[in-house]
């Protein structure tokens, strides 16, 4: 750049300054308004959206699908799409390091690469087109980052669209842009470039939209996170009821295990006793749950040792044990398992039956246990599964399940017991039995709304 | 009385000069797009303030990090607000800094005499991403743990020196307490110090050359 | 005319900037004060009936030691603190019991019953308390603390009412 151009630029700037404004307060005023807007937006986000809860880091959980921060998602997706290229796609560092590296160097040295003093956009068609395609790429790649890139029948089309929009179009567009800028002259060159950039941008957006429309993101199973102490205790109790009750009993007082396949007669220390709770730290109890005590018959439960419980879940169980049984701790107020029923009110599966089943039944009535194939982890299973199905018939007070929870076992013709009373080692409280009976008699509604429609709540009429 | 005190202070501090140099500057006619830079600075300061307050309760250790954040969110008065602002502020800061870069690119404001301003600006963009990357691990939850696992592995795919980079980032071959400590130190001391220094240079250059004017047809 | 209008607009802008700064300062400042000063306002009230042993296990006329542990939750950490004391049964009557804390009122060392000296001795600064907990010699400013509320349940357990200060 020669001195004359510099002088011209500086003169022009002086002129602009003379007809401009003052930094204080004119510009600062706009800055302050924007800052206030951002600040209020952040307060709103913090208040109404909050920070999503996440379970504690669990290095042993190999099933977790890793995902980078959202602002690196575009790079992550680019890597995935790049990996689809035959042969070249195998060399990961080209996409992970080389391409971003080149991009960064170009970006940094931009003032020395684009040396012409022209500033108006009409004279900078090439750079603006390149940047435009880059920005559209970043945005669209971020948007489709969670969509599967697989070549089975279900995803073949959308995967192809992703590759086209994320890799082929931008590459082709860049090539065309440089071709135009070198081969064509002035007017025609810029026309070609504007056309290329505009067209590829529209295509990328269109393809991304169709990917979003055609391929629903596979739903990530939401992991429950207990935040408050009562939540943690309840979560711990539910998990205890599923995984520990069989051997240790619902109050943790079992000393000799009974009725558990392979462990019958095994001696265990009562885990609700002070010998255990005073002398074992939280970490010790968590380790025992995680790794088990194989020589004593206790299997491992933590994911780290091949079990199914996460670090957070084991943490909840320990919290439950401490606050329920350790007399040095004061139990916080715990919400009820299910809301009490009014006279004439019909319970629903989602509000009443599901938590009851979780607390008292699922321990055995789930996959992989000796339970006559009667599973109780979902609405359908409770109603339809089992070797002696149907265990529940709407409106039938003689349904098998209702009988066994009211201490009547089921016998075959020879008087042999087929199904014993349930739960095998304890008796359900009358209010829990009442929920079951009402639910079955009213037609077993799944949802709250369904139950409300069947309800005939006796309410004093006010006049 | 006040006048005298002011004159005394003015004599020693040179307030007028500071005022003239920093605030009472002439500028070309402004535009709302020009606020992106100051918005980035505002977010940096806000992140700094909320971040400092988070360290009052946060503990950088695999045993305590998660629980201390749970404590901030559920038990400390307004902890949810401070962390919420810090969490969303990071997202917004990345967006604002990026849009600021695109704006400067579109108006070609990086051309003579503002080349250096641009180069330091690119540095600021990278440092902002570095803040995001290091800060993400600190809550020590599943999402952050595995994001860092992947992120460091990508950095480790550099040919020849990849393994060394990975070890430097993680403080060893594995993601561990060492990684957390390193990311914490980077997040609250090293990168913010660099950011502050580069912001200083960037602002000095902005003041020295003035904000660029929006280009018109003959530019 | 225009110039004076312009000035007033300027002043308005300046006031607005100041107001925006003030609003943000308050919106952030008030929560931050709560955030930092919360420990001053939140008191962990802990009180409970604590069993310290079978009544019959304490011999009449001789102070017998007991101890118990309470767990406090500090933030996300649980710490166990142990407390101790002495039970003196004056007669068969379950109301005639004196229960003393073993914490010396001087500097919180643990006192011990010394049969020969017929008093509680503190190992730190040689203080001596009477069997009733009164200061006999040494630096302590006050007599030993008493657990005044106690009861005996149906199973014959002696319980004291514990209040954390």
């Amino acid at each position: 750049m020669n001195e004359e151009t510099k002088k011209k630029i500086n003169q022009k700037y002086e002129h602009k300054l003379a007809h401009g404004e003052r930094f204080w307060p004119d510009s600062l005023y706009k800055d302050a308004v924007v800052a206030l807007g951002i600040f209020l937006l952040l307060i709103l986000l913090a208040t109404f959206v909050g920070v999503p809860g996440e379970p504690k880091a669990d290095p042993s959980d190999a099933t977790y699908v890793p995902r980078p921060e959202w602002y690196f998602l575009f790079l992550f997706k680019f890597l995935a799409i790049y990996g689809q290229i035959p042969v070249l796609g195998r060399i990961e560092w080209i996409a992970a390091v080389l391409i971003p590296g080149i991009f960064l160097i170009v970006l940094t040295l931009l003032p020395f690469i684009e040396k012409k003093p022209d500033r108006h956009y009409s004279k900078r068609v090439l750079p603006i087109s390149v940047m435009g395609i880059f920005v559209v790429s970043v945005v669209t790649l971020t948007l489709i980052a969670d969509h599967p890139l697989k070549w089975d029948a279900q995803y073949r089309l959308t995967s192809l669209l992703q590759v086209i929009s994320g890799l082929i179009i931008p590459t082709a567009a860049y090539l065309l842009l440089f071709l135009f800028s070198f081969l064509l002259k002035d007017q025609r060159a810029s026309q070609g470039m504007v056309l290329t950039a505009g067209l590829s941008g529209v295509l990328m957006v269109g393809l991304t939209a169709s990917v979003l429309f055609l391929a629903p993101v596979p739903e990530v199973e939401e992991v429950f996170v207990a935040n408050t102490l009562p939540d943690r205790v309840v979560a711990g109790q539910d998990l205890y009821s599923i995984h520990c009750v069989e051997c240790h009993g619902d109050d943790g007082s079992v000393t000799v295990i009974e009725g558990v396949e392979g462990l019958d007669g095994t001696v265990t220390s009562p885990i609700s006793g002070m010998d255990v709770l005073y002398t074992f730290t939280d970490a010790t109890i968590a380790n025992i749950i995680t790794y088990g005590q194989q020589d004593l018959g206790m299997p491992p439960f933590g994911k780290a040792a091949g079990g199914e419980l996460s670090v957070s879940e084991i943490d909840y169980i320990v919290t439950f044990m401490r606050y329920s049984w350790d007399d040095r701790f004061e139990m916080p107020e715990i919400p009820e398992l299910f809301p009490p029923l009014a006279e004439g009110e019909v319970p629903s599966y989602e509000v009443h039956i599901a938590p009851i089943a979780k607390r008292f039944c699922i321990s055995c009535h789930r996959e992989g246990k000796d339970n006559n194939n009667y599973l109780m982890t979902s609405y359908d299973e409770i109603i339809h599964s089992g070797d002696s199905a149907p265990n529940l018939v709407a409106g039938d007070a003689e349904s098998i399940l209702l009988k066994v929870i009211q201490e009547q076992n089921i016998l075959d013709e020879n008087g042999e017991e087929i199904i014993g009373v349930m739960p095998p080692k304890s008796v359900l409280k009358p209010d829990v039995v009442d929920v079951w009976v009402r639910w079955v008699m009213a037609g077993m509604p799944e949802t709250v709304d369904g139950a409300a429609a069947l309800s005939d709540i006796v309410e004093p009429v006010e006049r | 009385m006040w006048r005298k005190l002011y004159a005394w202070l003015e004599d020693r501090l040179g307030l007028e000069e500071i005022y003239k140099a920093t605030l009472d500057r002439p500028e070309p006619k402004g535009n709302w797009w020009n606020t992106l830079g100051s918005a980035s600075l505002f977010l940096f300061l806000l992140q700094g303030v909320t971040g400092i307050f988070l360290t009052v309760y946060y503990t950088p250790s695999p045993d305590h990090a998660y629980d201390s954040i749970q404590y901030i969110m559920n038990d400390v008065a307004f902890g949810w607000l401070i962390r919420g602002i810090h969490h969303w502020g990071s997202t917004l800061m990345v967006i604002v800094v990026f849009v600021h870069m695109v704006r400067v690119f579109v108006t070609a404001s990086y051309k003579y005499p503002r080349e250096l301003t641009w180069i330091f600006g690119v540095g600021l963009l990278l440092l902002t991403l570095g803040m995001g990357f290091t800060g993400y691990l600190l809550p020590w939850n599943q999402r952050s743990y595995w994001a860092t696992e992947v992120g460091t592995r990508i950095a480790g795919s550099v040919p020849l020196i990849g393994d060394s980079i990975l070890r430097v980032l993680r403080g060893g071959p594995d993601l561990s307490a060492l990684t957390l400590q390193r990311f914490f130190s980077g997040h609250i001391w090293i990168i913010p110090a660099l950011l502050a220094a580069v912001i200083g240079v960037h602002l000095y250059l902005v003041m020295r050359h003035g904000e660029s004017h929006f280009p018109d047809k003959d530019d | 005319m225009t110039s004076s209008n312009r000035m007033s607009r300027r002043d308005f802008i300046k006031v607005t900037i100041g107001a925006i700064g003030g609003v943000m300062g308050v919106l952030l400042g008030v929560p931050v004060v709560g955030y930092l000063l919360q420990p001053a306002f939140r008191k962990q009230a802990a009180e409970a009936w604590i069993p310290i042993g079978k009544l019959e296990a304490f011999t009449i006329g001789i102070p017998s030691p007991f101890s118990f542990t309470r767990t406090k939750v500090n933030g996300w950490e649980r710490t166990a603190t142990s407390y101790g004391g002495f039970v003196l049964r004056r007669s068969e009557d379950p109301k005639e019991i004196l229960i003393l804390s073993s914490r010396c009122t001087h500097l919180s060392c643990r006192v011990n019953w010394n049969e020969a000296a017929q008093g509680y001795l503190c190992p730190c600064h040689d203080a001596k308390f009477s069997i009733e907990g009164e200061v006999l010699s040494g630096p302590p400013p006050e007599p030993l603390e008493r657990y005044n509320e106690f009861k005996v349940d149906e199973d014959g357990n002696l319980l004291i009412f514990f209040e954390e200060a």
Side-chain angles (χ1 to χ4, degrees):
Chain A
M1 194 181 293
N2 56 35
E3 290 305 314
E4 205 177 318
T5 341
K6 285 185 183 171
K7 209 170 144 198
K8 228 175 93 190
I9 290 172
N10 288 333
Q11 269 174 355
K12 169 100 188 228
Y13 189 62
E14 289 301 324
H15 177 77
K16 285 282 177 189
L17 284 186
H19 293 82
E21 57 187 28
R22 308 304 289 184
F23 178 68
W24 163 262
D26 303 314
S27 305
L28 217 52
Y29 166 70
K30 293 197 200 86
D31 295 339
V33 170
V34 171
L36 180 68
I38 287 176
F39 186 64
L40 293 179
L41 175 66
L42 287 177
I43 289 186
L44 289 179
L45 283 169
T47 310
F48 294 106
V49 184
V51 185
E54 270 287 312
K56 193 173 181 171
D58 187 353
S60 58
D61 183 0
T63 59
Y64 195 86
V65 183
R67 227 168 145 268
E69 298 88 313
W70 71 265
Y71 35 84
F72 289 131
L73 277 180
F74 77 94
L75 194 59
F76 196 57
K77 189 68 186 181
F78 175 70
L79 280 181
I81 292 178
Y82 171 84
Q84 304 297 320
I85 304 176
V87 189
L88 214 58
R90 297 278 182 77
I91 312 170
E92 202 192 4
W93 60 268
I94 294 183
V97 181
L98 194 66
I99 296 174
I102 291 174
F103 175 79
L104 272 180
I105 290 170
V106 170
L107 193 74
T108 311
L109 299 181
L110 196 64
F112 308 109
I113 294 169
E114 200 202 342
K115 276 189 278 194
K116 279 193 277 179
D118 303 328
R119 287 190 58 205
H120 194 253
Y121 59 86
S122 63
K123 298 171 191 161
R124 299 178 59 237
V125 177
L126 179 65
I128 290 185
S129 301
V130 172
M131 185 55 127
I133 292 172
F134 172 73
V135 172
V136 173
S137 281
V138 169
V139 173
T140 51
L141 283 173
T142 306
L143 286 175
I144 53 173
D146 284 336
H147 287 259
L149 200 61
K150 287 184 227 155
W151 299 101
D152 55 11
Q154 194 193 349
Y155 291 112
R156 194 171 298 149
L157 177 65
T158 50
S159 297
L160 189 67
L161 293 181
Q162 288 182 48
V163 173
I164 295 176
S165 130
L167 191 70
I168 296 177
I169 295 185
T171 313
Y174 288 140
L175 286 177
L176 270 179
L177 286 178
F178 287 108
L179 222 62
F180 283 142
S181 75
F182 284 119
L183 296 184
L184 300 178
K185 285 274 170 283
D186 300 332
Q187 198 66 30
R188 289 184 54 207
S190 35
Q191 273 175 356
M193 287 191 275
V194 169
L195 208 65
T196 312
L199 205 64
S200 49
V202 168
L203 270 176
M204 282 155 77
V205 171
L207 290 176
T208 303
S210 45
V211 170
L212 293 178
F213 180 73
L214 289 173
V217 181
E219 240 173 76
V220 184
E221 206 180 314
E222 196 135 312
V223 184
F224 169 77
V225 180
N227 284 321
T228 61
L229 181 60
D231 278 355
R232 281 198 283 270
V233 173
V234 170
Q237 184 167 14
D238 281 337
L239 290 163
Y240 181 88
S241 305
I242 293 172
H243 299 279
C244 321
V245 151
E246 257 190 299
C247 294
H248 292 285
D250 52 10
D251 57 359
S253 63
V254 169
T255 49
V256 179
I257 297 172
E258 274 171 35
V260 180
E261 224 185 313
L263 290 172
D264 241 341
T266 306
V267 176
T268 167
S269 30
I271 54 171
S272 58
M274 298 313 131
D275 279 0
V276 168
L277 293 172
Y278 278 26
T279 56
F280 291 9
T281 63
D282 289 358
T284 310
I285 301 178
N287 276 346
I288 293 175
I289 299 175
T290 307
Y291 300 102
Q293 293 188 321
Q294 312 267 19
D295 289 348
L296 300 176
M298 170 144 170
F301 285 89
K303 281 182 177 160
E308 46 182 312
L309 296 179
S310 72
V311 172
S312 277
E313 287 172 326
I314 291 173
D315 207 37
Y316 300 154
I317 295 179
V318 176
T319 309
F320 160 71
M321 290 171 62
R322 279 273 177 245
Y323 280 89
S324 306
W325 300 328
D326 190 328
D327 61 4
R328 299 169 302 176
F329 284 82
E330 266 175 82
M331 187 74 160
E333 221 166 281
I334 298 295
E336 290 186 74
L337 184 59
F338 54 88
L341 293 172
E343 203 184 330
E345 188 182 348
V346 172
S348 67
Y349 171 75
E350 45 181 30
V351 175
H352 297 89
I353 299 297
I356 289 175
K358 201 170 174 187
R359 182 66 54 83
F360 301 108
C361 320
I362 290 177
S363 174
C364 300
H365 290 281
R366 62 193 168 113
E367 209 73 59
K369 298 276 171 179
D370 174 22
N371 50 28
N372 276 353
N373 294 321
Y374 184 42
L375 309 179
M376 299 181 72
T377 56
S378 73
Y379 180 73
D380 276 341
E381 282 176 359
I382 284 187
I383 292 178
H384 299 296
S385 71
D387 292 344
S388 0
N391 287 318
L392 284 169
V393 178
D396 181 7
E398 298 286 298
S399 293
I400 294 174
L401 189 145
L402 291 191
K403 280 173 112 175
V404 296
I405 62 169
Q406 296 181 80
E407 299 180 72
Q408 303 170 38
N409 51 4
I410 309 289
L411 307 174
D412 66 6
E413 310 89 69
N414 308 323
E416 299 259 327
E417 184 181 271
I418 319 172
I419 307 170
V421 295
M422 292 288 159
K425 280 173 245 165
S426 59
V427 179
L428 293 180
K429 287 207 186 110
D431 60 332
V432 176
V433 174
D434 178 51
V435 169
W436 277 109
V437 173
R438 282 204 214 184
W439 185 62
V440 174
M441 298 313 286
M444 307 193 286
E446 181 172 8
T447 61
V448 182
D449 293 340
L454 296 168
S455 290
D456 183 17
I457 298 174
V458 185
E459 273 175 326
V461 184
E462 283 177 52
R463 296 236 161 202
Chain B
M1 167 67 188
W2 289 117
R3 219 167 259 256
K4 260 190 169 170
L5 182 66
Y6 179 78
W8 190 89
L9 282 175
E10 162 62 30
D11 212 23
R12 270 83 186 166
L13 294 173
L15 296 172
E16 288 288 328
E17 273 170 51
I18 296 177
Y19 172 71
K20 278 241 160 64
T22 57
L23 292 176
D24 192 34
R25 292 180 285 120
E27 287 206 321
K29 221 163 188 47
N31 178 303
W32 286 95
W33 289 104
N34 286 82
T35 59
L36 286 163
S38 75
S40 311
L41 178 63
F42 171 71
L43 279 164
F44 170 73
L45 295 175
L46 191 63
Q47 291 298 85
V49 170
T50 49
I52 285 170
F53 287 120
L54 285 176
T55 63
V56 172
Y57 294 98
Y58 176 74
T59 312
S61 122
D63 288 341
H64 298 296
Y66 183 79
D67 291 333
S68 65
I69 298 246
Q70 287 278 320
Y71 183 68
I72 292 174
M73 290 301 284
N74 299 305
D75 294 310
V76 179
F78 296 109
W80 58 271
L81 182 66
I82 308 281
R83 169 145 192 254
I85 292 178
H86 198 74
H87 173 92
W88 288 105
S90 75
T91 287
L92 215 57
M93 188 162 167
V94 171
I95 295 177
V96 170
V97 171
F98 182 77
V99 177
H100 180 45
M101 186 272 283
V102 174
R103 197 283 293 168
V104 171
F105 180 90
V106 171
T107 60
S109 303
Y110 53 84
K111 297 200 166 177
Y112 172 83
R114 299 184 182 80
E115 296 95 330
L116 263 185
T117 324
W118 168 268
I119 291 175
F120 281 105
V122 174
L124 287 174
L125 174 66
L126 293 180
L127 287 171
T128 304
L129 290 177
M131 284 302 274
F133 184 63
T134 49
Y136 207 73
L137 177 68
L138 302 187
W140 202 252
N141 57 36
Q142 281 284 70
R143 193 189 288 264
S144 65
Y145 180 91
W146 291 102
T148 308
E149 171 80 31
V150 176
T152 46
R153 213 185 308 129
I154 289 179
S157 69
V158 182
L160 299 177
I161 53 166
D163 192 50
S164 309
I165 294 178
L166 182 106
R167 278 160 188 271
V168 170
L169 282 176
R170 292 186 178 177
D174 299 312
L175 221 173
S176 65
L178 288 169
T179 323
L180 182 58
Q181 194 64 41
R182 215 158 246 264
F183 274 42
F184 179 67
S185 167
H187 189 75
I188 73 161
W189 296 120
I190 301 168
I191 306 181
L194 285 173
L195 258 175
V198 181
I199 286 175
V201 178
H202 194 73
L203 283 185
Y204 165 75
L205 290 169
V206 169
M207 283 179 201
R208 175 168 163 77
H209 299 295
E211 270 185 23
S212 74
H213 60 94
F214 259 66
D216 39 34
K217 266 224 134 63
D218 52 338
D219 272 313
Chain C
M1 197 58 197
T2 45
S3 110
S4 84
N5 263 347
R6 176 158 274 178
M7 282 312 287
S8 70
R9 193 189 90 93
R10 284 231 147 158
D11 286 341
F12 170 74
I13 287 177
K14 286 182 187 174
V15 171
T16 314
I17 295 176
I20 288 175
V23 166
M24 292 197 291
V26 170
L27 280 181
L28 193 62
V30 171
V32 159
V33 168
Y35 179 87
L36 289 176
L37 303 188
Q38 186 202 32
F41 304 118
R42 180 182 288 181
K43 294 250 159 66
Q44 251 186 347
E47 46 178 50
W49 282 99
I50 293 166
I52 55 174
K54 292 269 184 204
L55 183 63
E56 63 219 46
F58 299 109
T59 27
I60 296 174
I62 302 168
S64 345
F66 69 90
S67 67
F68 61 92
T69 311
R70 294 289 296 166
T71 299
K72 276 195 207 170
V73 181
N74 291 312
W76 58 94
E77 284 218 299
R78 302 173 193 139
T79 40
T81 317
S82 55
Y83 300 84
F86 292 89
V87 177
L88 172 66
R89 289 180 70 190
R90 299 181 208 271
S91 71
E92 284 291 343
D93 186 352
K95 294 216 168 67
E96 289 274 289
I97 303 176
L98 173 70
I99 305 174
L100 294 172
S101 160
S102 63
R103 200 171 66 98
C104 178
T105 51
H106 177 220
L107 289 173
S108 300
C109 296
R110 297 297 152 111
V111 300
N112 284 307
W113 173 251
N114 188 305
E115 193 62 41
Q118 279 297 302
Y120 296 101
L121 303 183
C122 180
C124 296
H125 301 95
D126 296 328
K128 187 177 175 190
F129 297 88
S130 74
I131 193 163
E132 293 289 316
E134 306 293 335
V135 186
L136 294 179
S137 66
E142 283 164 39
L144 290 174
E145 230 173 282
R146 294 178 178 208
Y147 289 104
N148 285 321
E149 272 188 81
F150 56 87
K151 66 181 180 189
V152 179
D153 68 7
E154 308 100 60
D155 303 328
N157 288 313
L158 177 60
L159 292 95
I160 55 170
F161 188 70
F162 173 78
E163 250 181 317
E164 207 142 14

